[in-house]
Amino acid sequence: MLAFVYLLVYAYLGNTTSSVRMWLFAVVIAVALTYGGALNLDGRDGRYLMAGLAIAASGVNSLGWSDASWWVLLIAASLFVAAVLVGLRRELSTPALVMLAAVTATGLIPAGNSTVNVLGAVAYCTVYPIALGLAVGSMQPSRTVASTITPLIPFAMTLFWISAPVPPREFGWTDGLPDDDVQPIVWLYSPLPVGVVTAVIVVVACVFAIRSGTPEHHDRVSDSSGP
């Protein structure tokens, strides 16, 4: 139900034709709904739900891939799996979300003369999968409802990675001949700074929301411990 509400919010307030103000309003509604759902779930299930929101917000920047970038995907997938295994053994949710906020903030770095945000692209290919893996491994849900809803949030909440306000398009003349410029292996697409800053604020808010339940961070340990 929550994922369906996200889609409604996107359709009416946060689609690609919305103004910056309408998009910000949609983000506020989505964050409030998620936080309300986390309060109802309580415990580590609530934290898991907030982690889904943080992951959705971090998608405000997106990567472009070339035909030669398959090996980058393999490296990112390997880092993600390794980080999940580490997260299953150690509770590292807070460092994971802090890393997530830092990677999201790289969208603010000017591309410079190369028109490619190299640092941001590298961060999303290396640090980002590690942060995701640690968050997923460290915050395992205890009930089916949390494990069902949370993975849908990054996909259902298209407010960030589709409809965040982007710079206006630039048009120019071409002679119709093939472009001789060498395309980078991976490059980063970022919205206007207001979109990146909003996403970072959402991720940081998720960190504080999760940390506010610090005494319950040992739920997994207490549940598995003997007498």
Side-chain angles (χ1 to χ4, degrees), residues 54-55 57-61 97-109 123-124 128 188 190-191 195-201 203:
I55 293 171
S58 66
V60 72
N61 304 299
L97 294 188
V98 170
M99 292 167 60
L100 211 59
V103 172
T104 305
T106 60
L108 295 171
I109 300 175
Y124 266 89
Y128 190 64
L188 189 70
S190 296
V196 180
V197 171
T198 300
V200 172
I201 292 174
V203 177

Side-chain angles (χ1 to χ4, degrees), residues 70 89 106 127 130 195:
W70 60 269
R89 291 174 172 82
T106 60
V127 182
I130 294 175

Side-chain angles (χ1 to χ4, degrees), residues 177-188:
L177 297 176
D179 195 351
D180 295 331
D181 293 339
V182 178
Q183 192 178 33
I185 297 176
V186 181
W187 60 96
L188 189 70

Side-chain angles (χ1 to χ4, degrees), residues 67-164:
D67 295 335
S69 60
W70 60 269
W71 59 272
V72 180
L73 286 171
L74 290 180
I75 293 175
S78 301
L79 292 173
F80 173 77
V81 172
V84 169
L85 296 176
V86 172
L88 289 173
R89 291 174 172 82
R90 297 186 61 186
E91 209 291 317
L92 297 171
S93 58
T94 300
L97 294 188
V98 170
M99 292 167 60
L100 211 59
V103 172
T104 305
T106 60
L108 295 171
I109 300 175
N113 295 331
S114 66
T115 69
V116 177
N117 185 344
V118 177
L119 182 59
V122 171
Y124 266 89
C125 290
T126 56
V127 182
Y128 190 64
I130 294 175
L132 291 183
L134 290 176
V136 171
S138 297
M139 291 185 282
Q140 291 297 306
S142 60
R143 285 182 288 178
T144 305
V145 61
S147 62
T148 302
I149 295 175
T150 303
L152 292 176
I153 294 179
F155 298 100
M157 193 181 298
T158 54
L159 293 168
F160 290 100
W161 63 280
I162 288 182
S163 60

